[in-house]
Amino acid sequence: MTATWRVILTVCAALSGLPRADAQTPVGPAAGNDAAPIADIVIGSRILAEFGVLDGFGHVSARDPKNPGHFLLSRSLAPALVTADDIMEFDLDGSAVDPRGRSVFLERFIHSEIYKARPDVMAVVHTHSAGVIPFGVSQVPLRPLYHNAAFLAAGAPVWDIRPDFGETDMLVRDSSRGRSLAQALGDKSVVLMRGHGDVTVGPSVRMAVFRAYYTDVNARLQLQAIALGGDVNYLTPGEGAKADAVNFVVLERVWNLWALRVAPSLGK
Amino acid sequence: MTATWRVILTVCAALSGLPRADAQTPVGPAAGNDAAPIADIVIGSRILAEFGVLDGFGHVSARDPKNPGHFLLSRSLAPALVTADDIMEFDLDGSAVDPRGRSVFLERFIHSEIYKARPDVMAVVHTHSAGVIPFGVSQVPLRPLYHNAAFLAAGAPVWDIRPDFGETDMLVRDSSRGRSLAQALGDKSVVLMRGHGDVTVGPSVRMAVFRAYYTDVNARLQLQAIALGGDVNYLTPGEGAKADAVNFVVLERVWNLWALRVAPSLGK
Amino acid sequence: MTATWRVILTVCAALSGLPRADAQTPVGPAAGNDAAPIADIVIGSRILAEFGVLDGFGHVSARDPKNPGHFLLSRSLAPALVTADDIMEFDLDGSAVDPRGRSVFLERFIHSEIYKARPDVMAVVHTHSAGVIPFGVSQVPLRPLYHNAAFLAAGAPVWDIRPDFGETDMLVRDSSRGRSLAQALGDKSVVLMRGHGDVTVGPSVRMAVFRAYYTDVNARLQLQAIALGGDVNYLTPGEGAKADAVNFVVLERVWNLWALRVAPSLGK
Amino acid sequence: MTATWRVILTVCAALSGLPRADAQTPVGPAAGNDAAPIADIVIGSRILAEFGVLDGFGHVSARDPKNPGHFLLSRSLAPALVTADDIMEFDLDGSAVDPRGRSVFLERFIHSEIYKARPDVMAVVHTHSAGVIPFGVSQVPLRPLYHNAAFLAAGAPVWDIRPDFGETDMLVRDSSRGRSLAQALGDKSVVLMRGHGDVTVGPSVRMAVFRAYYTDVNARLQLQAIALGGDVNYLTPGEGAKADAVNFVVLERVWNLWALRVAPSLGK
């Protein structure tokens, strides 16, 4: 373990050269994301796998910064194993630009259709996170308990595949289903998928990953708050909007900590 | 940890030579199981121990691919410690073919009687998984919340040893009790054992292990969904059948990830 | 991690020279406990710390096999750190035989008074286990859900210090309080201590440790079974007695697995 | 791992030179805190991060032992990464004494205002601990289940920012909000922050950290006790006061164990 901590401290020293999140100067939504989206997809996938938000399933994508009509997503592979070499490019019909015989995710249409419907979205995360699944099958709406999950205050809709598509295998395996999901997402940050998992979106991979994590945490805590009995004092929409602005400010600090945690898995 | 990750990446490179699960081409139930059942018993036992589905107890078996009247099961040993050398051969009366003085599992009759009753079953997993035990003692039926547990949609019966055998030590210690358990299992994938644990079955060790894991996960999530209050929107039988077909497609991807996780425990 | 697994396999090879738990030949209550109680106290303390049943607090003792009027207990030290050199000897008034300036546990009277009251008891474990504490403050009795916790079928009384001693610091700091606790324990294997934790006893350190662990597990599972709603199908007293006999048979297999898990912490 | 345990045993040997917590001689509130507050801030931050009480957020501070008008708090950094070099000095208006361009915590006013209002307080810990957050949004008061959380018996008020400040981003970003929070804390050891987390205080860093940890543990256990249904037998105020005195006695034993656990992260 001593060797591991040496490399961590080395990475830490390297990262200390990056601009810090200065709590007195809001960084703003799009800032703090100099890192190539590919690197962030790799790190973000491993972060969420490390936290148990992603298991053998789920995926992280980013809109191509050079071409809004394309997005970056790994080949079909467990998130914990994703490397830069696994990242492929897709168009918004879900077709791989240069497949070279690599397997693709069946559910790439989750990504393609959301990128179509939401020009503001630069990253999409799909999980089967355990905290969220009970809410997806329940009538109880997911609502934010605290500031790190403030983005839930605008609402977390539930997409149920059954009304439009009948009895299916639950997967978003074509653009028609993807379109239905994107419609349910609307202008929100999160959409739950009944009997499946969820999708979180954001203006950067880092923010989409942050939201995937805190959606799961909030779900677990909300269940507990409900189990206590009595009223629960959720964030109001106004509190949600203001607190979410702070999440952008603190994003880099949190990302750096999380990246250190998965550094060993990248041989760093 | 750097050393560990080196070996993991080595195994990963080796595995990358194997056919990938191509999401566009269904692999089908019996495919993707070239690996000798013995290797899968060893890896599967350790995977389930790693996940806490098996603790010091429980066991994984496979029907002998060369002789349907025999099955393979380790000697009496904690699952986390099973190696290929521990695997013994039994007939369907639960007798060891070549005991050589090795201790055998008291509850091998769980396996022998299910192999007798179910010619389609090629693997059996018995666990005391914590997620499942509350359901085994409850009137609330275990039902699938999401697609990875789709195999539960056909039903998850509960076998209670007391009606037929009175007050016992709860163990399936002879073929008579094993027969009763197999009867309760019927044509399902899972049977809960009241005050004991569960059994999952499948057409391969890998699928039986997958089911053991996701039965436990689903139980934990179902409890949470119930705790939220109100109706729970379970998978329908139609959704269950369709989604379970997908579980066969993704099985290899998940198995490879899990196998990597236990590779260090095998000195790999 | 490779180094760790090498030492584990070495210990494993060494242990393989020990008699195996032969499922066909009952070992009986007192058997399988050749290991000196001191070694078992050290390993058992670390096992329970590893499982989170003991945290910085709690202790494991053994009656001196050579002198029933004495017992062995470590000096005041976190259980995860106990070594053979920390073990001290006490008489049944709780006085150290050869203190040599070492700090003693304030609550050694838990042990001394139980050894006085229970000639059959050869080991005592005191924990603040998280699973149990909610039951100690509740009116809901702890009852066995499954066979590994069968010893609970005889009953798990709750000792509340307040009726006899008024408002105290909750600790068993003298023989008077210890006597009251031993009275509440009666002839059972477990007594819960309201607002404090629990005590488990047994005919060996290994069995007392086994019971401490499965009391905690059962408590957690029972809470979940209750949360599902509706009746819970507990073990009957008859089932409990029969299943507990099996716990003696499997004790050694489980102990060996657990001992391997803490071997690295002992530099083995 | 063998290397890690060697360094742990080395640290252990070094620590064994320190005076032990002698259970027969009460150490008293201020004793056992020879270690410079800076070292305790570093270790305490890492301890709480290790236990998951602090994640990427939260902070530990100490009043400057040489100047009660100043306090010590790290620069804006995840608690798991804090080193002695990161510690800065602040006055009770929240201004850094010698900033040198380092980022400061937005919420340093939690600390400054509590140090102003509470001359007895020598350390402050702010967390977003998962156990506590459900209670902060609930009407159910946090109350002590057992002796390690005895300090809760005096009461654990909830501070809601909304009544005084309307819809905000939930953060204590100025002295006005800090003052409101300190007012809610009153003379207690803990104050919950609705939709945010909590603050624990104490006469030393070690005690504030101890309280942060056991507040989180107690919250989790109290939820479970409530979920069992029926009355819960909490500690009375008298029990709470007496048991909390014991927490001072055992503090050093627990701290030493926890410090060992984070020693590797400090390269020790």
Side-chain angles (χ1 to χ4, degrees):
Chain A
M1 212 183 253
T2 315
T4 301
W5 277 105
R6 272 205 298 269
V7 299
I8 286 178
L9 291 170
T10 304
V11 175
C12 188
L15 285 172
S16 64
L18 294 175
R20 287 193 188 87
D22 184 341
Q24 321 252 42
T25 310
V27 181
N33 195 19
D34 279 340
I38 286 179
D40 280 358
I41 289 173
V42 171
I43 294 174
S45 301
R46 287 154 182 275
I47 283 170
L48 293 176
E50 173 76 12
F51 284 141
V53 178
L54 295 178
D55 52 7
F57 304 103
H59 14 88
V60 178
S61 75
R63 192 189 299 265
D64 188 331
K66 301 179 308 300
N67 181 355
H70 283 185
F71 64 94
L72 307 164
L73 174 68
S74 88
R75 63 177 177 96
S76 176
L77 184 67
L81 303 179
V82 167
T83 67
D85 291 340
D86 297 306
I87 305 301
M88 298 174 61
E89 197 171 334
F90 295 83
D91 64 27
L92 298 192
D93 292 324
S95 302
V97 167
D98 179 23
R100 281 185 266 146
R102 291 170 292 182
S103 308
V104 295
F105 279 119
L106 192 58
E107 296 203 287
R108 60 202 180 280
F109 302 96
I110 291 174
H111 304 262
S112 58
E113 291 300 319
I114 287 175
Y115 287 123
K116 262 193 212 169
R118 290 282 296 273
D120 63 302
V121 164
M122 298 298 290
V124 176
V125 175
H126 166 55
T127 88
H128 299 177
S129 84
V132 165
I133 286 172
F135 279 87
V137 298
S138 170
Q139 312 305 314
V140 178
L142 187 63
R143 295 181 60 184
L145 254 66
Y146 75 127
H147 57 341
N148 284 137
F151 53 88
L152 294 173
V158 180
W159 176 69
D160 187 340
I161 198 173
R162 204 189 295 137
D164 282 350
F165 298 93
E167 288 184 314
T168 65
D169 63 7
M170 308 304 288
L171 299 188
V172 181
R173 53 169 62 249
D174 57 42
S175 44
S176 175
R177 296 180 187 189
R179 200 155 35 245
S180 174
L181 173 65
Q183 224 167 345
L185 171 68
D187 62 350
K188 310 295 189 292
S189 301
V190 180
V191 56
L192 275 55
M193 304 164 70
R194 191 271 304 172
H196 189 160
D198 68 1
V199 175
T200 59
V201 304
S204 66
V205 170
R206 298 183 180 197
M207 186 46 81
V209 166
F210 178 99
R211 288 172 173 171
Y213 175 66
Y214 281 106
T215 296
D216 182 75
V217 172
N218 188 88
R220 296 168 186 275
L221 299 186
Q222 187 181 351
L223 170 65
Q224 293 171 30
I226 288 169
L228 280 176
D231 288 335
V232 176
N233 195 348
Y234 296 104
L235 292 195
T236 65
E239 286 172 338
K242 292 187 180 181
D244 200 35
V246 176
N247 287 330
F248 282 93
V249 173
V250 299
L251 177 62
E252 193 167 333
R253 178 205 321 173
V254 165
W255 183 264
N256 289 347
L257 176 71
W258 292 348
L260 285 178
R261 199 159 146 179
V262 300
S265 82
L266 289 159
K268 297 179 185 176
Chain B
M1 214 180 250
T2 316
T4 301
W5 278 104
R6 273 205 296 269
V7 301
I8 286 177
L9 291 170
T10 304
V11 175
C12 188
L15 285 172
S16 64
L18 295 175
R20 286 196 187 85
D22 186 339
Q24 320 252 43
T25 309
V27 181
N33 194 20
D34 278 341
I38 287 179
D40 279 0
I41 290 174
V42 171
I43 294 174
S45 302
R46 287 154 182 275
I47 283 170
L48 292 176
E50 173 76 12
F51 285 141
V53 179
L54 294 178
D55 53 7
F57 304 102
H59 14 87
V60 178
S61 75
R63 193 190 297 267
D64 188 330
K66 301 181 305 301
N67 179 356
H70 283 186
F71 65 94
L72 306 164
L73 174 68
S74 89
R75 64 178 176 94
S76 174
L77 184 67
L81 303 179
V82 167
T83 66
D85 291 341
D86 297 306
I87 306 299
M88 299 173 61
E89 196 171 333
F90 295 85
D91 63 27
L92 298 193
D93 291 325
S95 302
V97 166
D98 178 23
R100 281 184 268 146
R102 291 171 292 182
S103 308
V104 297
F105 279 119
L106 192 58
E107 296 204 287
R108 59 203 181 281
F109 303 96
I110 290 175
H111 304 262
S112 58
E113 291 300 318
I114 287 175
Y115 287 122
K116 260 190 212 170
R118 289 282 296 272
D120 64 303
V121 164
M122 297 298 289
V124 176
V125 175
H126 167 56
T127 89
H128 299 176
S129 85
V132 165
I133 285 171
F135 280 87
V137 298
S138 171
Q139 312 305 314
V140 177
L142 187 64
R143 296 180 60 184
L145 254 66
Y146 76 128
H147 58 339
N148 285 137
F151 53 88
L152 293 174
V158 180
W159 176 70
D160 187 342
I161 198 173
R162 205 189 295 138
D164 281 350
F165 298 91
E167 288 185 313
T168 66
D169 63 7
M170 308 303 289
L171 300 187
V172 181
R173 51 171 60 250
D174 56 43
S175 44
S176 175
R177 296 181 188 189
R179 200 155 34 247
S180 175
L181 172 66
Q183 224 167 345
L185 172 69
D187 63 350
K188 311 296 188 292
S189 301
V190 180
V191 57
L192 275 54
M193 305 164 69
R194 193 269 305 172
H196 190 160
D198 68 3
V199 174
T200 59
V201 304
S204 66
V205 170
R206 298 184 180 197
M207 186 46 81
V209 166
F210 178 97
R211 287 171 173 172
Y213 175 66
Y214 281 105
T215 296
D216 182 76
V217 172
N218 187 88
R220 295 168 187 274
L221 299 186
Q222 187 182 348
L223 170 65
Q224 293 172 27
I226 288 170
L228 280 175
D231 290 334
V232 177
N233 195 347
Y234 296 103
L235 292 194
T236 64
E239 286 173 337
K242 292 186 180 181
D244 200 34
V246 176
N247 287 330
F248 282 92
V249 173
V250 299
L251 177 62
E252 193 168 335
R253 177 205 323 173
V254 164
W255 183 265
N256 289 347
L257 176 71
W258 291 350
L260 286 177
R261 198 157 146 181
V262 299
S265 82
L266 289 159
K268 298 180 185 172
Chain C
M1 213 181 252
T2 316
T4 300
W5 278 105
R6 274 204 297 269
V7 300
I8 286 177
L9 292 169
T10 304
V11 175
C12 187
L15 284 173
S16 64
L18 294 175
R20 287 194 186 86
D22 185 342
Q24 319 254 41
T25 309
V27 180
N33 195 18
D34 278 340
I38 287 179
D40 280 0
I41 289 174
V42 171
I43 295 174
S45 303
R46 288 156 181 274
I47 282 169
L48 293 176
E50 173 76 11
F51 284 142
V53 179
L54 295 179
D55 54 6
F57 304 101
H59 14 87
V60 178
S61 74
R63 193 190 297 265
D64 187 333
K66 301 180 307 299
N67 178 356
H70 283 185
F71 65 94
L72 306 164
L73 174 69
S74 89
R75 63 178 177 97
S76 175
L77 185 67
L81 305 179
V82 168
T83 66
D85 291 342
D86 298 307
I87 306 300
M88 298 174 60
E89 196 172 334
F90 295 84
D91 63 27
L92 298 194
D93 292 325
S95 302
V97 166
D98 178 24
R100 281 184 266 147
R102 291 170 293 182
S103 307
V104 296
F105 280 119
L106 191 58
E107 295 203 288
R108 59 202 180 281
F109 303 96
I110 290 174
H111 304 262
S112 57
E113 290 300 319
I114 286 176
Y115 287 123
K116 259 191 214 171
R118 290 282 295 274
D120 64 303
V121 163
M122 297 299 289
V124 176
V125 175
H126 168 54
T127 89
H128 299 176
S129 84
V132 165
I133 286 172
F135 280 86
V137 297
S138 171
Q139 313 304 315
V140 177
L142 187 63
R143 297 180 59 185
L145 254 65
Y146 75 128
H147 57 340
N148 284 138
F151 53 89
L152 293 174
V158 179
W159 175 69
D160 187 343
I161 196 172
R162 205 189 296 138
D164 281 350
F165 298 92
E167 288 184 314
T168 65
D169 62 8
M170 309 304 290
L171 301 187
V172 181
R173 50 171 62 249
D174 56 42
S175 43
S176 174
R177 296 181 187 188
R179 200 154 35 246
S180 175
L181 172 66
Q183 223 167 345
L185 172 68
D187 62 351
K188 310 295 186 292
S189 301
V190 181
V191 57
L192 274 54
M193 305 164 71
R194 193 271 304 173
H196 190 158
D198 68 2
V199 174
T200 59
V201 303
S204 66
V205 170
R206 298 184 180 197
M207 185 47 80
V209 166
F210 178 98
R211 287 172 173 170
Y213 175 66
Y214 281 105
T215 296
D216 181 76
V217 172
N218 188 87
R220 296 169 186 273
L221 299 186
Q222 186 181 350
L223 170 65
Q224 293 172 28
I226 289 170
L228 281 176
D231 289 335
V232 177
N233 195 348
Y234 296 104
L235 293 194
T236 64
E239 287 172 336
K242 293 187 181 181
D244 200 34
V246 175
N247 287 331
F248 282 93
V249 173
V250 299
L251 177 62
E252 193 167 333
R253 177 204 323 172
V254 164
W255 182 266
N256 288 348
L257 176 70
W258 291 349
L260 284 178
R261 199 159 146 179
V262 299
S265 82
L266 287 159
K268 297 183 184 171
Chain D
M1 213 183 253
T2 315
T4 300
W5 277 105
R6 273 205 297 269
V7 299
I8 285 177
L9 290 169
T10 305
V11 175
C12 188
L15 284 173
S16 65
L18 295 175
R20 287 191 187 87
D22 184 342
Q24 320 255 41
T25 310
V27 180
N33 195 19
D34 278 339
I38 287 178
D40 280 359
I41 289 173
V42 171
I43 294 173
S45 302
R46 287 155 180 275
I47 282 169
L48 292 176
E50 173 74 13
F51 284 142
V53 178
L54 295 179
D55 53 5
F57 304 103
H59 15 87
V60 177
S61 75
R63 194 189 298 265
D64 188 332
K66 301 181 306 300
N67 179 355
H70 284 186
F71 65 94
L72 307 164
L73 174 68
S74 88
R75 61 177 178 96
S76 176
L77 185 67
L81 304 179
V82 167
T83 66
D85 291 340
D86 297 306
I87 305 301
M88 298 174 61
E89 197 172 334
F90 295 84
D91 63 26
L92 298 192
D93 292 325
S95 302
V97 166
D98 177 23
R100 282 185 266 146
R102 292 171 291 181
S103 307
V104 294
F105 280 119
L106 192 58
E107 296 203 287
R108 59 202 181 279
F109 303 96
I110 290 174
H111 304 262
S112 58
E113 290 301 320
I114 287 175
Y115 287 123
K116 261 191 213 171
R118 290 283 295 273
D120 63 303
V121 163
M122 297 298 289
V124 176
V125 176
H126 167 55
T127 89
H128 299 176
S129 83
V132 165
I133 286 172
F135 280 86
V137 298
S138 170
Q139 313 304 313
V140 177
L142 187 63
R143 296 181 60 184
L145 254 66
Y146 75 127
H147 57 339
N148 283 139
F151 53 89
L152 294 174
V158 180
W159 176 70
D160 188 341
I161 197 172
R162 203 188 297 137
D164 282 350
F165 297 93
E167 288 183 313
T168 65
D169 62 8
M170 308 304 288
L171 300 186
V172 181
R173 50 170 62 248
D174 56 42
S175 44
S176 174
R177 295 181 188 189
R179 200 153 37 244
S180 175
L181 172 66
Q183 226 167 344
L185 171 68
D187 62 351
K188 309 295 188 292
S189 300
V190 181
V191 57
L192 274 54
M193 303 164 71
R194 191 273 303 173
H196 189 159
D198 68 2
V199 175
T200 59
V201 303
S204 66
V205 170
R206 299 183 179 196
M207 186 46 80
V209 166
F210 178 98
R211 288 172 172 170
Y213 175 66
Y214 281 106
T215 296
D216 181 77
V217 172
N218 188 88
R220 296 169 185 274
L221 299 186
Q222 186 181 351
L223 171 64
Q224 293 171 28
I226 288 170
L228 281 175
D231 288 336
V232 176
N233 195 348
Y234 296 105
L235 292 195
T236 64
E239 287 172 337
K242 293 186 181 182
D244 200 34
V246 176
N247 287 330
F248 282 94
V249 172
V250 300
L251 177 62
E252 192 166 334
R253 178 206 319 173
V254 164
W255 182 266
N256 288 347
L257 176 70
W258 291 349
L260 285 177
R261 198 159 147 180
V262 300
S265 83
L266 288 159
K268 297 180 184 176

